[in-house]
Amino acid sequence: MSGRVVVVGAGLAGAKTVEALRAGGYDGTVTLIGTETDRPYERPPLSKGYLLGTDERDAAFVHAADWYAAHDVDLRTGTTVRTLDLAGHDVIDDTGTRTGFDHLVLATGSEPRRLDVPGAQLDGVVYLRTLGDSDRLRAALVPGTRVVVVGGGWIGLEVAAAARAAGCEVSVLVRDPMPLLHVLGPELAAMFADLHRGNGVDLRTRTEVAEVVATGDGTRVGAVALADGTQVDADLVVVGIGAAPRVGLARDAGLTVEDGVVVDAHLRSSDPHVLAVGDIARAAHPLLGTHVRVEHWATALNQPATAAATILGRDEPYDRLPYFFTDQYELGMEYVGWVGPHGYDEVVVRGDLGSRELVAFWRREGRVVAGMNVNVWDVVDDVQALIRSGAVVERDRLADTSVPLTDLV
Ligand SMILES: Cc1cc2nc3c(=O)[nH]c(=O)nc-3n(C[C@H](O)[C@H](O)[C@H](O)COP(=O)(O)OP(=O)(O)OC[C@H]3O[C@@H](n4cnc5c(N)ncnc54)[C@H](O)[C@@H]3O)c2cc1C
């Protein structure tokens, strides 16, 4: 099939889109445009192995440097698209260059939410999104450095673990009574709180940051002041308070945007020539019966195959369940499924919370809606099958490690 595809955003989702197009036999022109000067790379190592110094830089890249030319992909790094001219079927970049398309794929990802308090602009207040951010953070994590992490989400907690491994003194400031409370609920959030406290993190909950306080000549961070009047000394403040989808281009072009670019299950936006993938896509989900936006690696990895199929004229809706993973200290986990706005009735634990070796199931009306395996491996496919089946499962059988998961479906 010939034509012109332009992909805006050269992260994981953008790179996988051009790969899937070529793998699917698309032989038109393919252009991949990205702001960053590095070729596309994966972000999970930036707060884990790469930050810890155990993963090589090269391992983060999605493709070898020569892959793009070898697959006739025009990769334009260091280039930002400023405007989408949907009527004219052109994108316009920061050099004023117009690039024409028959199909446009938006893969512009997310950007960190900024801390909005006095002093947030001081040197030593940092964010983690890019390889360069990870390089700078890694250089700053030296023994004895006082690191204050603002926010108890996944990235904040992973940075806290890496900073402890590097010998830093670490405080984590969380607004809620527990980190990850909104993602996991109190039962499993408590496990992560214990994990960090057990590894020497000064975890402070129900805190509100009032100000970042300068030291010395007034340009560098010296402490974080809390709303209750206390201060936490800091050489480095890492802000991990969530991310926002980069939807400016889509919104300015008149596409439907509601906390993400709204797309159907084939990842087509309100303009059928424009698709969206990865962090920015709020996609109709056939199984979940609603639109979901998932800011996780697996979505950026897997949605592109659907986008390419749509462009190639194939009917392959995206119906994978949301999936994510984390590694912190000696704990590795995978989570699959979606609790959603209806919430859950109870969490059933198969295994041992104390030793952090378990599979947890979130149950609603007797059905499993999400599952998380912690330091237990090769079960995620079975957990997914259980969720997809919609089977009503007896509580005791779910908790019983002697009952194979495959017997529950
Ligand atoms: C530190 C870190 C650790 C993470 N760890 C995990 C993990 O353990 N597990 C997990 O499931 N997920 C993890 N994630 C989330 C995961 O990395 C993201 O979901 C994934 O990167 C999304 O891919 P994407 O391609 O949609 O967007 P992005 O990776 O954000 O890439 C988008 C790209 O588009 C570019 N761009 C934006 N606007 C323009 C424009 N106008 N013109 C040109 N280019 C543009 C950006 O510069 C960027 O390079 C982590 C994220 C971070 C930051």
Side-chain angles (χ1 to χ4, degrees):
M1 182 184 177
S2 62
R4 298 165 304 168
V5 175
V6 172
V7 180
V8 179
L12 177 59
K16 283 288 166 184
T17 300
V18 301
E19 180 187 307
L21 282 166
R22 287 301 186 224
Y26 187 82
D27 56 12
T29 62
V30 175
T31 308
L32 175 58
I33 305 175
T35 299
E36 294 185 64
T37 47
D38 286 299
R39 69 182 190 273
Y41 59 88
E42 304 197 13
R43 298 184 201 274
L46 308 187
S47 52
K48 306 179 190 65
Y50 187 67
L51 186 60
L52 285 160
T54 52
D55 289 2
E56 294 295 326
R57 190 182 183 90
D58 261 3
F61 292 107
V62 183
H63 299 112
D66 58 3
W67 184 92
Y68 298 93
H71 290 80
D72 199 14
V73 171
D74 180 5
L75 171 63
R76 302 183 193 163
T77 54
T79 307
T80 297
V81 170
R82 296 288 180 210
T83 314
L84 309 179
D85 173 0
L86 298 187
H89 279 209
D90 275 338
V91 305
I92 304 154
D93 68 26
D94 48 2
T95 66
T97 304
R98 282 182 170 264
T99 307
F101 64 83
D102 298 303
H103 285 97
L104 170 65
V105 182
L106 298 176
T108 48
S110 316
E111 59 199 329
R113 289 187 200 282
R114 300 276 147 180
L115 185 63
D116 185 18
V117 297
Q121 308 305 324
L122 289 170
D123 285 349
V125 179
V126 301
Y127 295 81
L128 178 54
R129 185 78 202 171
T130 65
L131 259 175
D133 294 339
S134 187
D135 287 333
R136 285 184 287 276
L137 184 55
R138 187 169 154 187
L141 297 183
V142 293
T145 303
R146 296 166 305 174
V147 178
V148 173
V149 177
V150 179
W154 299 113
I155 291 178
L157 294 182
E158 288 171 2
V159 169
R164 286 299 296 144
C168 303
E169 289 175 28
V170 180
S171 302
V172 176
L173 308 178
V174 183
R175 238 185 208 163
D176 289 326
M178 283 179 228
L180 302 171
L181 188 61
H182 293 295
V183 194
L184 299 178
E187 301 85 351
L188 272 299
M191 183 184 74
F192 280 92
D194 291 347
L195 174 72
H196 282 270
R197 289 200 169 112
N199 278 282
V201 169
D202 171 22
L203 173 64
R204 303 193 188 193
T205 57
R206 295 187 171 92
T207 56
E208 189 74 39
V209 173
E211 186 179 351
V212 182
V213 183
T215 188
D217 65 1
T219 59
R220 229 201 121 71
V221 59
V224 175
L226 305 180
D228 67 4
T230 55
Q231 284 205 357
V232 189
D233 291 340
D235 303 310
L236 186 72
V237 175
V238 184
V239 181
I241 54 174
R246 284 195 197 93
V247 292
L249 279 178
R251 184 181 287 125
D252 292 350
L255 297 172
T256 304
V257 171
E258 285 163 24
D259 177 42
V261 179
V262 177
V263 293
D264 64 16
H266 295 86
L267 307 180
R268 279 178 301 235
S269 72
S270 49
D271 178 327
H273 298 100
V274 183
L275 296 86
V277 288
D279 275 13
I280 59 160
R282 173 168 290 281
H285 197 290
L287 192 69
L288 302 174
T290 186
H291 284 75
V292 290
R293 189 173 71 79
V294 182
E295 268 175 27
H296 288 300
W297 168 88
T299 307
L301 183 78
N302 294 315
Q303 274 187 342
T306 293
T310 302
I311 291 169
L312 290 161
R314 300 200 310 258
D315 176 18
E316 291 175 20
Y318 186 80
D319 70 349
R320 285 183 187 241
L321 289 170
Y323 165 94
F324 64 91
F325 63 93
T326 188
D327 296 310
Q328 299 170 30
Y329 311 104
E330 303 305 315
L331 183 150
M333 78 83 164
E334 298 172 286
Y335 179 107
V336 67
W338 193 67
V339 169
H342 302 300
Y344 62 93
D345 301 327
E346 64 171 345
V347 178
V348 178
V349 172
R350 159 183 286 240
D352 184 18
L353 259 176
S355 63
R356 301 187 191 116
E357 207 173 298
L358 60 114
V359 187
F361 301 96
W362 283 258
R363 240 163 56 118
R364 183 167 62 235
E365 292 165 7
R367 295 178 175 84
V368 175
V369 293
M372 175 168 102
N373 48 299
V374 179
N375 290 344
V376 171
W377 303 109
D378 301 324
V379 295
V380 77
D381 289 345
D382 296 338
V383 177
Q384 286 202 52
L386 193 55
I387 298 169
R388 284 186 167 279
S389 75
V392 172
V393 188
E394 259 176 57
R395 188 184 192 292
D396 291 349
R397 281 168 57 79
L398 202 51
D400 186 346
T401 49
S402 71
V403 179
L405 288 175
T406 43
D407 286 6
L408 298 172
V409 179

